[in-house]
Amino acid sequence: MVKNWKSKLHEIIYEADTRAGKLFDVVLLVLILASVALVMLESVADFAGKYGTFLNISEWVITILFTFEYFARIICIRKPAQYIFSFYGIIDFLSTIPKYLSLFFVGSHSLVVLRALRLMRVFRILKLARFVGESNNLMRALKASRIKIGIFIMFVLILCTILGSIMYLVEGGIENSKFTSIPQSIYWAIVTLTTVGYGDMFPTTVIGQSIASIIMILGYGIIAVPTGIVTAQFATMEKDQLHLNTQSCPNCAAEGHRDGAEFCFDCGAVLNPEETN
Amino acid sequence: MVKNWKSKLHEIIYEADTRAGKLFDVVLLVLILASVALVMLESVADFAGKYGTFLNISEWVITILFTFEYFARIICIRKPAQYIFSFYGIIDFLSTIPKYLSLFFVGSHSLVVLRALRLMRVFRILKLARFVGESNNLMRALKASRIKIGIFIMFVLILCTILGSIMYLVEGGIENSKFTSIPQSIYWAIVTLTTVGYGDMFPTTVIGQSIASIIMILGYGIIAVPTGIVTAQFATMEKDQLHLNTQSCPNCAAEGHRDGAEFCFDCGAVLNPEETN
Amino acid sequence: MVKNWKSKLHEIIYEADTRAGKLFDVVLLVLILASVALVMLESVADFAGKYGTFLNISEWVITILFTFEYFARIICIRKPAQYIFSFYGIIDFLSTIPKYLSLFFVGSHSLVVLRALRLMRVFRILKLARFVGESNNLMRALKASRIKIGIFIMFVLILCTILGSIMYLVEGGIENSKFTSIPQSIYWAIVTLTTVGYGDMFPTTVIGQSIASIIMILGYGIIAVPTGIVTAQFATMEKDQLHLNTQSCPNCAAEGHRDGAEFCFDCGAVLNPEETN
Amino acid sequence: MVKNWKSKLHEIIYEADTRAGKLFDVVLLVLILASVALVMLESVADFAGKYGTFLNISEWVITILFTFEYFARIICIRKPAQYIFSFYGIIDFLSTIPKYLSLFFVGSHSLVVLRALRLMRVFRILKLARFVGESNNLMRALKASRIKIGIFIMFVLILCTILGSIMYLVEGGIENSKFTSIPQSIYWAIVTLTTVGYGDMFPTTVIGQSIASIIMILGYGIIAVPTGIVTAQFATMEKDQLHLNTQSCPNCAAEGHRDGAEFCFDCGAVLNPEETN
């Protein structure tokens, strides 16, 4: 029965409750890591010179495997558009297509680098282990404090714009100054406030150094704010934690179903029964 | 009735409960962002060369709009001095006047940079959204710990002065040393303690590097103090949070009225009735 | 009565409960700040050239005032040794003597820099304000977690020694390497682990950069430990706070007496009665 | 009785409850510190030139003492393999053998640097003091949050890979760019995200600097996550703390026995009775 065959493929690819599903995830993980390693090695001039042919062939093999996977994902889901235009669907597409494009357009090969984006799938594959509860907790704490964090980031950006502009006024006119424009000065303000401090730009006047000192101490103190937000969230969250499983709806691909759920919380379709292993 | 017309303008400009008030805030926000973008682009030499005339005209348009806004704010409030000498009143004035001054004084044009200060208005405009509760909470936590943070900053400054002075003793006499004076050495101590570390100055003697190591480990550990202060505050504050609305007193411009308040907590004047939308 | 006169002087100098005592502290604070500012300005070559005489005279005036204060402190206390060999007594001595020594020894003038140490007195003078409770709380939280922090610092030092030694093995042999010795490499490890990152030394080999990456991520994560220690301490401490006053024992100079205490907790001597103002 | 003699040696070497045991630990600590200091001094070219012979002899003395200790540890334990292949056993071996190897192989002397690893024994020796409870608590808090921290580190690494790859696309083609390969760019991303910021590589294009700004603000905010995890753990852990002693099982060398335990929790062997001092 066709439906049965598709539903089985769906279970293997989209879920991790069965043995075959777990194996598929592990193989996929290894392939992704290999593909990223290949792209890295190719970018190292010495290596690309010596092993160019080997790298090229390996990349084609992985590209073709990824292509199979991409079509398998489309075939076995009931509403393919739901996958194609999902976050991971777009990433899968972007990481597979550049190699084919490189056949027709010369410059496009460097886009293979985008394959690194597939590393994000690691977070979905992780679900197969006991990390589920822990990482869900992490995510929920961050989500709960996203408004406060958003306000904080906006505050940091506005602060850097103002401080950068003032710095441009102070240091901009000096001979050989690196503060050549306001955007450049804002970049410097961000480098300083976040305590990165490359040293490609630094103030040379007394007033400039005084303002820089204020920015540094500000940055040193302000870091307390996101930490405070997240920590307070963690502390209140530690008590209760939800248990979600690795099921994925065969109809709409929604995830995060509670243990024992029989219907998709999003579209109401029947979920595959969980295996008890 | 004149009073009625003014009170309506007040509601639009100073508050964000009505549709017109929200629209005004959004338009103002867009104008501020545009004005900052213009000033930034003008500071980039390439861009200013090509599009000088366009930039100049745009700036004049925005300056005139800001001038209208400034006078509207003065007219529609009962006690204009309260606005003119308020924090935002002074910033509004400082960000509008430099363009006019540039007609008479050649060098004063660069003060247009001060327009970046208007970005701070974003925090007031933010009030129109649900950010109110969240950002109030943030502010209250920081306010509650301001004495502790003040002591901490003073402690950091004194520490940097002492460590900078000692470093000047140790590294100051070395040939080609960058530690040319005590203020310079204090600047270095701040750069190091806050873990910014530009690399424009660094110790070269064994004793100097040993002292630098101590400063770094100190700075690495001391950062725990402001974080601890703010976090403890957040944790105790998480429980209860006040709900304030976006009303502003038509008489004295005081803000932060509780939901449903009918009189200003500061001067006792009658507040505009809240719209229920 | 001599005893009475001495006890009055003691109250002015060592305590801050009376009006005269507060005035003394404020004057002392101003003098200390002035003396530090003078030493700073003198170290700036430009300034010292122009205003050398003025700076020299001002320094002598302040040195003589500090000398008077030093002897007054010795005279009015019953057991002078207790002050002379106390922490602040030694600092007071060290910050007064270099100016006199400069009359006899040529090079000793630069020790005037040690005057910056007197800035620490600010923390004692602070006690005159409402900062008492807050800063006591701060201190108690740090004291309570000093063993944990000590273990942490030792752990960081050992980690840096091991990582620095390994880095010396890896990068030490490279041509033009800055990793010339193990102490130098340990210094680099501290600079990296604390996320200061001057850029005067950095790895150039692939293995070196990999180890550096591990150190950085370690340092980025390890900073959570002191923060966690101090924060947890603050959170548990927030609840109860002791109220101590600014009294100082006229016999042994012990401080930190509880409100209303009539006898010194350390030597049992009678304390000056608190004024009610 | 032979068994008695061995059990006594075991108590001295592996435990710290008796006076002899404590003395042994202190002597060992001093020897380890001396050996590390010797290796450090030898790496400083100036010093090694002048005192080469002295350093060489001292190192041989310490090496021989360490050799005795190594064999004593093997002899007095009932199952020597348990020690030889334990973490500390391997470190002890690695830090003793290079000096002997240097007699036969010329280049192997530099491996003496590995002796720094023995510094880790400090943490075991520490147990003799009251640090036990405190450091156990520290360790348990870190252990309890190790999954969350592991996920976080993996997240940071994946993020740096993706950001580094994108940066290579953006800055890689520029003339004289330091972003010569993807691994190099990933290294830069780690340097930036952890706010170390050496300044050996930095972006020069506008897009590159914009991406760098995003990475910095990300790094500045993300640091809140490990801090939040550890702090929340500390806070919940503060309440209860186990009391473990410094006993070590004479049979299998397991540690961390509760006060008053009479049998090893791991192999069931009888523990040496605790001395009451």
Side-chain angles (χ1 to χ4, degrees), chain D residues 57-74:
Chain D
I57 292 170
S58 313
E59 265 178 42
W60 271 113
V61 170
I62 284 180
T63 304
I64 287 161
L65 287 172
F66 280 179
T67 313
F68 280 130
E69 185 216 342
Y70 186 70
F71 285 112
R73 278 184 190 275
I74 290 175

Side-chain angles (χ1 to χ4, degrees), chain A residues 153-182:
Chain A
I153 287 176
M154 204 177 56
F155 171 73
V156 166
L157 285 176
I158 290 177
L159 195 68
C160 286
T161 308
I162 293 172
L163 291 170
S165 302
I166 291 170
M167 205 65 183
Y168 174 69
L169 262 188
V170 171
E171 289 263 332
I174 310 294
E175 189 106 4
N176 288 327
S177 170
K178 300 263 179 116
F179 295 82
T180 51
S181 68
I182 294 182

Side-chain angles (χ1 to χ4, degrees), chain A residues 14 73-74 77-90 249-254 266-267:
Chain A
Y14 284 93
R73 279 184 189 274
I74 289 175
I77 204 166
R78 258 170 251 162
K79 295 179 180 172
Q82 206 112 16
Y83 163 68
I84 294 173
F85 298 108
S86 73
F87 179 68
Y88 285 110
I90 291 166
C249 173
N251 186 44
C252 74
D266 210 33
C267 69

Side-chain angles (χ1 to χ4, degrees), chain A residues 220, chain B residues 152 155-156 159 193 215 217-227, chain C residues 226:
Chain A
Y220 191 64
Chain B
F152 172 73
F155 171 73
V156 166
L159 194 68
L193 192 88
I215 300 179
I217 291 174
L218 261 179
Y220 191 65
I222 285 176
I223 206 171
V225 176
T227 308

Side-chain angles (χ1 to χ4, degrees), chain A residues 178 180-181 183-184 187 191 198 200-201, chain D residues 167 170-179 188 199-213 216:
Chain A
K178 300 263 179 116
T180 51
S181 68
Q184 196 76 13
Y187 166 70
V191 169
Y198 282 133
D200 52 342
M201 295 166 72
Chain D
M167 205 65 182
V170 171
E171 290 263 331
I174 310 296
E175 189 105 6
N176 288 325
S177 170
K178 302 263 180 119
F179 295 82
W188 169 85
D200 53 342
M201 296 167 71
F202 45 79
T204 49
T205 63
V206 172
I207 306 176
Q209 292 183 341
S210 306
I211 296 175
S213 300
M216 286 171 218

